[in-house]
Amino acid sequence: MKTTDNKTAATAKETIPRGVTKPKSNAASGLTELFEDGLKDIYWAEKALTKALPTMVKNASSVELKDALDNHLTETEEQITRLEEVFKIVAKKATAKKCDAMEGLIEEAKGMLEETEIGVVRDAAIIAASQKIEHYEIATYGTLRQFAETLGLPEAATLLEQTLDEEKGADKMLTQVAVNAINLEAAEIE
Ligand code: FE
Ligand code: ZN
Ligand code: FE
Ligand code: FE
C-alpha cells in the first residue's frame, strides 16, 4: 500500500501540467513560511520607501502635500520598527527580501516626476503615485494581518493592524489634499 502511495506522489511531481509553474527547491510549503516571506517582502518595501519619500517631499510644491508626506515618512520609520517586533514574535531575524512590486511602483513614481512640470501638476502626479503605493501596502498588511490571525499570533496581528490603519489614513490624507486644491488648480492650467 505504502509503496503505491509513494509512487503516486513521485509521479505527480514529475508530471506538473503544462503552464503550471514549477516550485523552487526552497518554495514555501505552509502558511507560516508564506507569512514570513511576506514580512521580508514588506520589510524591504518599507525601507525602500524611507529612501523614496524624501524625494517626493522635495518635489512637492504644496505645503499641505509636503507635510502629509513628511508625516507619513515618520510613520514609515515606526512601521519598520513594528515589523522588527513581528519578526521577534515569530523568532526570526529581521531580513529584507526585494519586493519587485514596490521597486516597480517607486520607479513609476520617479518617472512621473520627470514627466511633469514643477507645481500643481507634479503635485497631482505625486499624489497619484503615492496612492498606488499606499494601496499596495493596504493589500499587503490586510493579508499579513489575516495570516497572523489564522496562525494564532494575536500580538503580531495587532501590530500589523496598526500599520494597516496608518496606511489607510495616509491614503485618505492624500485624497484630502488632492480634493482640497491641487487637482482643481491643475485642471485650471489647461
Ligand atoms: Fe508603510
Ligand atoms: Zn512587496
Ligand atoms: Fe510584493
Ligand atoms: Fe505607506
Side-chain angles (χ1 to χ4, degrees):
M1 248 340 223
K2 215 178 173 201
T3 337
T4 322
D5 284 348
N6 284 345
K7 202 182 169 194
T8 312
T11 313
K13 234 179 198 176
E14 280 155 26
T15 56
I16 292 171
R18 245 181 173 325
V20 174
T21 305
K22 189 172 171 281
K24 287 182 181 174
S25 58
N26 64 347
S29 57
L31 193 62
T32 302
E33 259 184 278
L34 194 57
F35 177 63
E36 288 166 6
D37 286 349
L39 290 177
K40 290 175 190 168
D41 177 276
I42 196 67
Y43 190 55
W44 187 97
E46 296 289 14
K47 286 190 163 193
L49 284 172
T50 59
K51 288 174 201 144
L53 274 164
T55 307
M56 303 284 207
V57 176
K58 274 184 210 138
N59 277 277
S61 300
S62 142
V63 175
E64 206 187 349
L65 180 56
K66 274 180 187 288
D67 286 350
L69 295 168
D70 232 345
N71 178 55
H72 197 50
L73 174 59
T74 310
E75 283 177 337
T76 301
E77 277 153 7
E78 289 160 11
Q79 292 169 358
I80 290 173
T81 310
R82 220 173 269 141
L83 282 170
E84 286 162 357
E85 287 176 47
V86 177
F87 276 111
K88 253 184 222 156
I89 291 171
V90 295
K92 283 275 144 66
K93 187 170 164 269
T95 357
K97 188 169 172 280
K98 192 170 101 181
C99 172
D100 295 323
M102 190 57 79
E103 186 183 51
L105 288 166
I106 290 171
E107 268 314 302
E108 185 167 306
K110 284 180 185 161
M112 284 172 92
L113 297 178
E114 291 170 350
E115 286 156 19
T116 47
E117 293 285 355
I118 298 163
V120 282
V121 177
R122 183 170 292 182
D123 283 2
I126 290 171
I127 293 172
S130 302
Q131 286 195 294
K132 290 184 192 190
I133 289 171
E134 295 315 318
H135 283 223
Y136 177 76
E137 294 186 289
I138 290 167
T140 302
Y141 282 106
T143 301
L144 289 176
R145 182 208 49 192
Q146 195 51 50
F147 281 0
E149 253 169 46
T150 305
L151 291 166
L153 303 164
E155 284 173 42
T158 303
L159 287 163
L160 293 164
E161 183 159 318
Q162 277 174 27
T163 297
L164 176 62
D165 289 343
E166 281 177 2
E167 308 295 17
K168 286 180 184 169
D171 180 48
K172 279 209 187 99
M173 178 63 79
L174 289 163
T175 299
Q176 206 58 53
V177 175
V179 169
N180 282 356
I182 290 166
N183 285 3
L184 260 173
E185 282 177 50
E188 274 164 19
I189 287 172
E190 283 157 46

